[in-house]
Amino acid sequence: MTAAYEVLAIRYATRTASRAAMFLNHHVYGEPDTPIDMDFYFWVARNEDHTVVIDTGYGAAGRTGRKRRTELAEPMAALADLGVHPESAPQVIATHAHYDHIGNLAGFPQSEIVIGRAEFDFWTGPYARRQQFAYTTEPTDLAHLREIRDQGRATFVDRQTTVAPGIEVIPVGGHTPGQLIVLIATETGQAVLTSDAAHYYEEIELDRPFTWLTDLEGTYRAYELLRELASEPGRVLVAGHDPDVMRRFPADGEIARIA
């Protein structure tokens, strides 16, 4: 029997944007443009035997040249406060390679890094340098991905894969070529971390794509899968950037307890 995990969402930054900036071609919905908040999270799953860090937030490079945000916590310090330390080499799942999800991978120099094969191949390939793609990444972060591969610490996945007892990843693409979602066993069922396969719950509920994506059809397919997963008893969805996470789940400061 697989031991259940405690699952935590750690909010480390927030900013206010507009709906027109957050949703692809927002004008087609015939709705007024209004403000919308966007939170930034990473996640931890742990039990007595295993600790997994899911994404690492943005690092120093990601703090410059970006839209103004309110910093709520420094990701590595927040992990230390939770008793998660790089020297223990926790497994790290990189759901995708955008700057706000892999900015602190270098802080885990001994850890296994799980990443989608299509994700790695794209962001280390020639088209990653095109401006519309490059805007959402940091060159130092992408260079570090290559170092991880060269060090033999990368685990590449290209299908639904169990990466630890009770933890599965599913490549869904859409937002990025190898975007992963993460399914984690809990005492009541499974937590489904959408990461940026669905930044906001309304992306799934209203079939409303986020503004940044690499494959619109793949984005819609990801929503279909997430709706299917959510229909199963015992499963809870955790959106990747939605402030509602802090209201849907018990929160203490900047930490929401998913399970």
Side-chain angles (χ1 to χ4, degrees):
M1 178 177 173
T2 301
Y5 288 85
E6 173 188 44
V7 183
L8 305 173
I10 299 92
R11 180 172 65 167
Y12 68 95
T14 189
R15 74 180 182 94
T16 298
S18 71
R19 300 183 69 81
M22 290 293 97
F23 297 103
L24 182 68
N25 295 324
H26 180 263
H27 64 277
V28 306
Y29 305 117
E31 298 174 356
D33 188 17
T34 55
I36 185 171
D37 289 339
M38 182 180 201
D39 286 351
F40 294 76
Y41 300 92
F42 60 93
W43 304 269
V44 170
R46 60 185 178 182
N47 57 29
E48 291 183 357
D49 302 316
H50 203 60
T51 296
V52 180
V53 177
I54 300 98
D55 291 342
T56 62
Y58 56 71
R63 290 188 178 91
T64 60
R66 302 284 176 181
K67 291 182 171 61
R68 183 172 298 177
R69 295 155 300 200
T70 300
E71 309 282 344
L72 302 173
E74 195 284 315
M76 297 302 287
L79 284 169
D81 288 344
L82 289 169
V84 180
H85 302 287
E87 55 267 29
S88 64
Q91 185 182 43
V92 179
I93 298 172
T95 65
H96 64 298
H98 283 174
Y99 81 98
D100 54 323
H101 291 261
I102 63 166
N104 292 292
L105 277 185
F108 297 87
Q110 302 175 67
S111 292
E112 173 199 10
I113 309 299
V114 177
I115 188 169
R117 185 178 301 277
E119 190 74 4
F120 179 89
D121 288 348
F122 179 83
W123 293 110
T124 58
Y127 286 97
R129 295 192 292 270
R130 299 293 179 88
Q131 188 172 5
Q132 287 291 323
F133 291 126
Y135 178 79
T136 56
T137 62
E138 289 293 338
T140 53
D141 295 342
L142 301 184
H144 187 64
L145 286 181
R146 296 185 183 92
E147 294 174 11
I148 291 167
R149 178 208 47 202
D150 295 344
Q151 294 164 0
R153 295 191 293 115
T155 295
F156 298 113
V157 296
D158 52 19
R159 61 180 62 85
Q160 184 167 352
T161 303
T162 298
V163 297
I167 299 182
E168 297 176 272
V169 297
I170 305 176
V172 295
H175 178 61
T176 61
Q179 169 77 58
L180 301 178
I181 63 173
V182 186
L183 280 61
I184 304 169
T186 67
E187 289 186 352
T188 56
Q190 272 187 329
V192 180
L193 306 184
T194 74
S195 180
D196 288 9
H199 299 67
Y200 293 95
Y201 286 106
E202 66 183 275
E203 291 177 47
I204 305 167
E205 295 164 355
L206 301 178
D207 217 30
R208 187 163 293 189
F210 190 72
T211 189
W212 293 100
L213 49 78
T214 58
D215 177 1
L216 180 56
E217 181 181 351
T219 296
Y220 282 128
R221 286 199 303 267
Y223 295 164
E224 291 170 358
L225 174 61
L226 290 169
R227 283 192 286 268
E228 180 182 339
L229 290 171
S231 70
E232 295 292 329
R235 282 192 174 129
V236 294
L237 291 186
V238 185
H241 284 271
D242 201 322
D244 206 32
V245 168
M246 304 300 291
R247 296 183 285 268
R248 293 192 182 204
F249 302 98
D252 182 6
E254 304 304 332
I255 298 175
R257 186 174 298 277
I258 308 305

